[in-house]
Amino acid sequence: MIERTFVMLKPDAIQRGLIGAIISRLEARGFKPVAMKLMRIPRELAERHYAEHKGKSFFPGLIDYITSGPVLCMVWEGENIITVLRTMMGKTNPQDAAPGTIRGDFAQQTGRNLIHGSDSPESAKREIALFFNDYELQDYKKTIDPWLYE
Ligand code: DAT
Ligand code: MG
């Protein structure tokens, strides 16, 4: 099923100059960009985005990190993309992430793990709505689509 997912390149990805390296993997896989914006997340929005982790010991540090500099917020579309992107990202702790994954190739610690991707269709819907308006989400066809999907 064609799905959409919310993806965020965290401040460490921007600072380390990894935007292109990460996005090129999504493009090469055949996924389609639907929305992108570079922004500094207000604290209140960061807390809503990570609401499921409120009360945990790492929550304040997580909010400090994610609001510490610009992030690249995106929506990507593709077949089963929510699960496939999570696989491409690798485990939350980069030390457990397999080589070949984004975290497994580029990151070292959980608190600097470069990328966020929605973990379920419900999260994707909620997170996309949190960061984007309808007019920022592009609906378009690519002529290559029949070479990706039979
Ligand atoms: P993921 O980002 O893989 O979906 P998550 O939703 O469980 O992981 O956690 C969100 C972010 O919070 C994660 O990317 C990094 C941080 N985090 C999670 N567990 C942590 C921990 N035990 N210590 C420090 N930071 C943690
Ligand atoms: Mg998560």
Side-chain angles (χ1 to χ4, degrees):
M1 193 181 51
I2 301 291
E3 298 175 324
R4 287 180 172 185
T5 195
F6 176 69
V7 185
M8 184 198 297
L9 303 192
K10 298 178 180 180
D12 46 338
I14 311 308
Q15 291 296 328
R16 293 179 53 203
L18 293 172
I19 294 173
I22 295 172
I23 287 182
S24 66
R25 292 182 178 215
L26 274 67
E27 272 196 309
R29 188 71 186 254
F31 292 140
K32 185 193 287 182
V34 164
M36 291 190 188
K37 67 182 164 190
L38 192 67
M39 60 185 282
R40 184 80 175 257
I41 309 180
R43 218 175 162 82
E44 177 268 340
L45 178 57
E47 288 179 358
R48 277 205 283 158
H49 172 66
Y50 279 127
E52 62 169 315
H53 297 302
K54 201 157 191 167
K56 296 182 185 167
S57 58
F58 61 81
F59 186 76
L62 175 62
I63 299 302
D64 285 347
Y65 157 54
I66 216 72
T67 58
S68 66
V71 297
L72 184 64
C73 294
M74 302 181 281
V75 177
W76 286 77
E77 188 178 281
E79 177 101 3
N80 204 19
I81 190 172
I82 296 170
T83 301
V84 175
L85 180 75
R86 295 279 300 182
T87 304
M88 292 173 72
M89 285 165 50
K91 294 270 173 58
T92 304
N93 182 342
Q95 291 171 24
D96 299 328
T101 65
I102 293 163
R103 289 165 170 169
D105 286 349
F106 299 127
Q108 298 201 43
Q109 290 187 340
T110 305
R112 297 287 182 272
N113 65 5
L114 294 173
I115 182 168
H116 167 87
S118 308
D119 62 8
S120 68
E122 297 70 37
S123 303
K125 191 166 190 276
R126 186 184 76 85
E127 293 168 0
I128 291 168
L130 210 48
F131 286 90
F132 291 98
N133 295 313
D134 282 348
Y135 63 80
E136 295 174 306
L137 301 166
Q138 307 306 319
D139 255 313
Y140 63 104
K141 294 252 177 290
K142 288 176 85 175
T143 53
I144 200 177
D145 287 348
W147 299 107
L148 288 163
Y149 304 113
E150 59 181 5

